[in-house]
């Protein structure tokens, strides 16, 4: 009986850590404790008096066995080509198949993907994120490996060669948290969707185990700023851009500390501009990109701020008080229609990052903080104030351009007033119910 042996030949960059050019059999590969890899499978044996080892061009054992069946049937490593079939009477052109399409090199596919999103006017921050996840900003990024770097290391030349096992190995090499890993995998899903035909599986779509800590992190309540923390920030804005001699004496409740960085932005923007940036943030709940590129035309005659959010492109309309409207108009007369800097002629992300650094300087001087301060907490503060004043979650969701489910899941859990109402209603409902012990 003629027997052909199948063995997996491991590459220099084997995901399972096997030695280069070593071989493992199928029984070793299927052990429960064995590490999985996607190295190619070779067939070896003696047919018609001649020994030979050939590649099956497969990574799966079932496909490898199917690849050696023609050799077994012929009894030789040399297989004669099959006879040409007779031409049909009425030849019909076959439909275009995936195999006939030319393979796409990985680097070329990434460039095509990024150019497509640029032509479709995708948000610049989104294109920047795609670029970072797919090919990176610089060479030598080892901890959070990009798709292009992984393909070069694993010897994958074309996009169509990627398998689910490859993407899983890539994701496991990232030294990031669960949420960041999900964000990176979403980028890979969008990328591979561009090169898939109907019915093909996206290699970046697979189930991942989630532990209790990750589920609790997803459902964790958002932490807003307290009113005392807001007062401390606004009091610190009085010192922004002033020298140490010009600083007033400390007041009760103000913990402002002297730092040299306050003087860095004293040329054009002063503490009043930083205070206005903070007030617009928590009076409207806008994200930092929408506040940094705020145009005075967004302030309507009826006292509302109406704009289209940069992140999810949803329309937002929020009423602001008269004192804030007056400060916005005064800032427009001083700095122009873009009250926090004209983003035209430069990337909007640069304006956002500049104001993020100014806020970090302010927070450094107003510390310490129980929770790390960040601009998105102003959005949580906006929701906190509304919910504490008995505003329905459906209305809050419309004001922030989000869904009611998100508001209930992340924001309403920590509002003590809502819990008090729930407790009072439950107590009233069961007050006169029958009971065994009187």
């Amino acid at each position: 009986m003629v027997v052909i042996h199948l063995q997996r030949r491991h590459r220099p960059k084997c995901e399972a850590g096997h030695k280069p050019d070593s071989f493992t059999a199928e029984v070793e590969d299927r052990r429960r404790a064995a590490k999985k890899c996607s190295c190619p499978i070779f067939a070896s044996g003696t047919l018609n008096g001649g020994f030979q080892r050939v590649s099956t061009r497969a990574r799966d054992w079932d496909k490898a066995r199917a690849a050696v069946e023609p050799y077994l049937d012929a009894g030789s490593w040399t297989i004669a080509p099959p006879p040409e079939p007779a031409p049909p009477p009425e030849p019909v052109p076959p439909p275009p198949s995936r195999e006939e399409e030319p393979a796409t090199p990985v680097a070329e596919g990434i460039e095509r993907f990024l150019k497509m999103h640029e032509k479709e006017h995708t948000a610049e921050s989104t294109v920047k994120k795609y670029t970072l996840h797919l090919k990176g900003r610089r060479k030598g990024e080892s901890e959070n490996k990009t798709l292009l770097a992984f393909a070069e290391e694993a010897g994958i030349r074309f996009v169509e060669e990627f398998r689910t096992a490859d993407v899983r190995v890539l994701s496991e090499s990232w030294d990031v948290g669960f949420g960041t890993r999900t964000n990176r995998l979403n980028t890979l899903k969008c990328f591979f969707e561009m090169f898939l035909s109907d019915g093909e599986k996206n290699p970046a779509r697979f189930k991942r185990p989630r532990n209790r800590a990750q589920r609790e992190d997803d459902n964790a309540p958002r932490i807003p700023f307290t009113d005392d923390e807001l007062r401390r920030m606004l009091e610190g804005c009085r010192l922004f851009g002033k020298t140490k001699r010009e600083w007033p004496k400390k007041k009760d409740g103000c913990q402002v500390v002297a730092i040299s960085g306050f003087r860095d932005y004293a040329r054009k923007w002063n503490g009043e501009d930083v205070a206005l940036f903070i007030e617009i943030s928590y009076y409207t709940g806008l994200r930092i990109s929408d506040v940094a590129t705020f145009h005075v035309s967004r302030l309507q005659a009826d006292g509302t701020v109406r704009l289209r959010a940069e992140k999810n492109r949803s329309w937002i309309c929020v009423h602001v008080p008269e004192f804030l409207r007056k400060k916005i108009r005064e800032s427009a007369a001083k700095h122009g229609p873009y009250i926090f800097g004209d983003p035209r002629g430069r990337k909007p992300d640069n304006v956002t990052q500049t104001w993020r650094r100014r806020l970090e300087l302010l927070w450094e001087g107003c510390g310490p903080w129980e929770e790390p301060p960040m601009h998105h907490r102003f959005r949580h503060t906006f929701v906190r104030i509304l919910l504490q004043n008995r505003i329905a979650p459906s209305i809050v969701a419309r004001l922030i351009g989000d869904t009611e489910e998100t508001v209930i899941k992340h924001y309403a859990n920590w509002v003590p007033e809502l819990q008090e109402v729930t407790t009072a209603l439950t107590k009233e409902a069961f007050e006169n119910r029958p009971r065994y012990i009187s």
Side-chain angles (χ1 to χ4, degrees):
M1 180 179 179
V2 180
V3 178
I4 294 181
H5 300 281
L6 296 177
Q7 291 179 314
R8 191 184 296 275
R9 185 175 183 177
H10 297 286
R11 300 169 296 178
K13 299 295 183 178
C14 177
E15 301 90 337
H18 293 283
K19 294 182 179 180
D21 295 330
S22 62
F23 292 86
T24 55
E26 181 179 3
V27 64
E28 298 174 305
D29 200 13
R30 294 191 181 277
R31 290 177 181 172
R32 181 177 298 179
K35 296 182 179 180
K36 306 300 180 182
C37 67
S38 58
C39 297
I41 299 175
F42 284 73
S44 61
T46 303
L47 292 178
N48 197 17
F51 177 84
Q52 195 170 350
R53 178 181 286 118
V54 297
S55 173
T56 62
R57 298 184 180 180
R59 303 183 182 185
D60 182 75
W61 294 105
D62 294 332
K63 295 182 179 180
R65 278 190 290 270
V68 300
E69 286 182 0
Y71 298 100
L72 291 173
D73 295 339
S76 173
W77 288 112
T78 304
I79 302 177
E84 297 182 0
E90 294 181 1
V92 179
S97 61
R98 185 69 178 177
E99 290 74 15
E100 296 178 358
E101 298 180 4
T104 307
V106 178
E108 179 182 337
I110 293 175
E111 294 299 331
R112 284 173 51 188
F113 177 77
L114 297 177
K115 289 181 180 179
M116 180 194 69
H117 280 279
E118 291 176 356
K119 291 180 180 179
E120 293 181 355
H121 303 288
T122 305
E124 185 176 356
S125 58
T126 303
V127 177
K128 184 178 180 181
K129 179 188 69 173
Y130 288 163
T131 305
L132 178 62
H133 293 175
L134 294 177
K135 66 178 183 178
R137 296 176 180 172
R138 57 189 180 276
K139 296 182 179 180
E141 189 179 18
S142 57
E143 292 185 353
N144 301 327
K145 193 178 301 179
T146 62
L147 182 70
L148 181 60
F150 175 80
E152 294 176 352
E153 182 177 326
I156 300 176
R157 297 183 300 168
F158 304 106
V159 178
E160 291 78 8
E161 293 181 358
F162 272 95
R163 300 294 182 266
T164 302
D166 300 325
V167 182
R168 190 185 295 273
V169 172
L170 171 60
S171 65
E172 292 175 354
S173 68
W174 297 331
D175 186 17
V176 294
F178 187 86
T180 306
R181 181 175 283 103
T182 302
N183 194 0
R184 286 174 169 268
L185 283 175
N186 290 337
T187 300
L188 298 183
K189 292 175 186 176
C190 296
F191 171 74
F192 286 115
E193 286 291 341
M194 181 178 176
F195 302 95
L196 295 177
S197 60
D198 296 338
E200 287 188 336
K201 180 184 177 182
N202 192 320
R205 294 187 182 276
F206 55 87
K207 292 184 178 180
R208 294 180 296 151
R210 302 179 65 188
N211 55 35
R212 180 181 299 177
Q214 292 163 348
R215 292 193 297 268
E216 292 177 354
D217 183 67
D218 291 343
N219 299 325
R222 301 304 187 248
I223 303 177
F225 288 115
T226 63
D227 291 343
D228 292 337
E229 290 175 333
L230 293 177
R231 293 191 189 96
R232 192 197 311 176
M233 289 184 217
L234 297 177
E235 187 66 26
C237 292
R238 303 178 186 275
L239 311 179
F240 194 93
K242 294 184 179 181
T243 60
K244 188 174 181 179
R245 295 180 179 178
E246 298 172 326
W247 286 20
K249 296 181 179 180
K250 290 185 178 181
K251 298 181 179 180
D252 296 338
C254 180
Q255 301 294 331
V256 178
V257 182
I259 60 172
S260 60
F262 269 35
R263 191 64 180 168
D264 292 345
Y265 295 103
R267 302 180 185 128
K268 181 178 180 181
W269 307 97
N270 53 31
E272 294 181 358
D273 301 311
V274 180
L276 178 60
F277 196 95
I278 294 175
E279 289 173 334
I280 292 179
S281 299
Y282 76 83
Y283 267 96
T284 62
L286 297 177
R287 297 179 176 87
I288 188 171
S289 57
D290 296 315
V291 180
T293 57
F294 192 93
H295 195 278
V296 70
S297 62
R298 296 173 176 175
L299 182 62
Q300 308 298 311
D302 58 353
T304 60
V305 172
R306 188 173 186 271
L307 58 90
R308 193 176 182 89
E310 288 291 337
K311 183 174 182 180
N312 53 13
R313 309 306 297 169
S314 61
W315 283 100
I316 297 175
C317 187
V318 184
H319 184 272
V320 294
E322 175 60 32
F323 86 93
L324 190 56
R325 283 177 267 166
K326 181 180 179 181
K327 293 176 67 174
I328 291 175
R329 297 189 187 99
E330 292 176 353
S331 180
K334 178 181 178 181
H335 300 296
Y338 289 97
I339 62 176
F340 297 116
D342 194 344
R344 295 175 298 181
R346 57 176 175 162
K347 296 182 178 180
D349 283 350
N350 293 346
V351 182
T352 303
Q353 294 298 332
T354 300
W355 277 99
R356 182 176 281 112
R357 288 194 295 269
R358 289 171 185 156
L359 291 175
E360 289 173 353
L361 286 174
L362 175 67
W363 290 328
E364 183 180 351
C366 297
W369 304 88
E370 294 183 3
E371 296 292 336
M374 59 185 65
H375 183 272
H376 207 71
R377 289 182 62 186
F378 290 121
R379 184 175 177 84
H380 306 329
T381 306
F382 173 75
V383 177
R384 170 185 70 82
I385 295 174
L386 295 177
L387 292 177
Q388 285 182 335
N389 286 273
R390 304 297 195 276
I391 306 298
S394 59
I395 299 178
V396 176
R398 185 173 61 182
L399 291 176
I400 64 176
D402 218 322
T403 62
E404 183 178 358
E405 291 77 9
T406 302
V407 173
I408 296 175
K409 178 180 178 181
H410 295 301
Y411 295 98
N413 295 337
W414 50 261
V415 178
E417 287 78 3
L418 294 181
Q419 184 60 42
E420 292 174 2
V421 172
T422 304
T423 303
L425 293 176
T426 305
K427 182 179 179 181
E428 182 181 357
F430 289 91
E431 185 174 3
N432 298 321
R433 299 303 100 187
R435 55 186 177 178
Y436 174 71
I437 301 177
S438 58

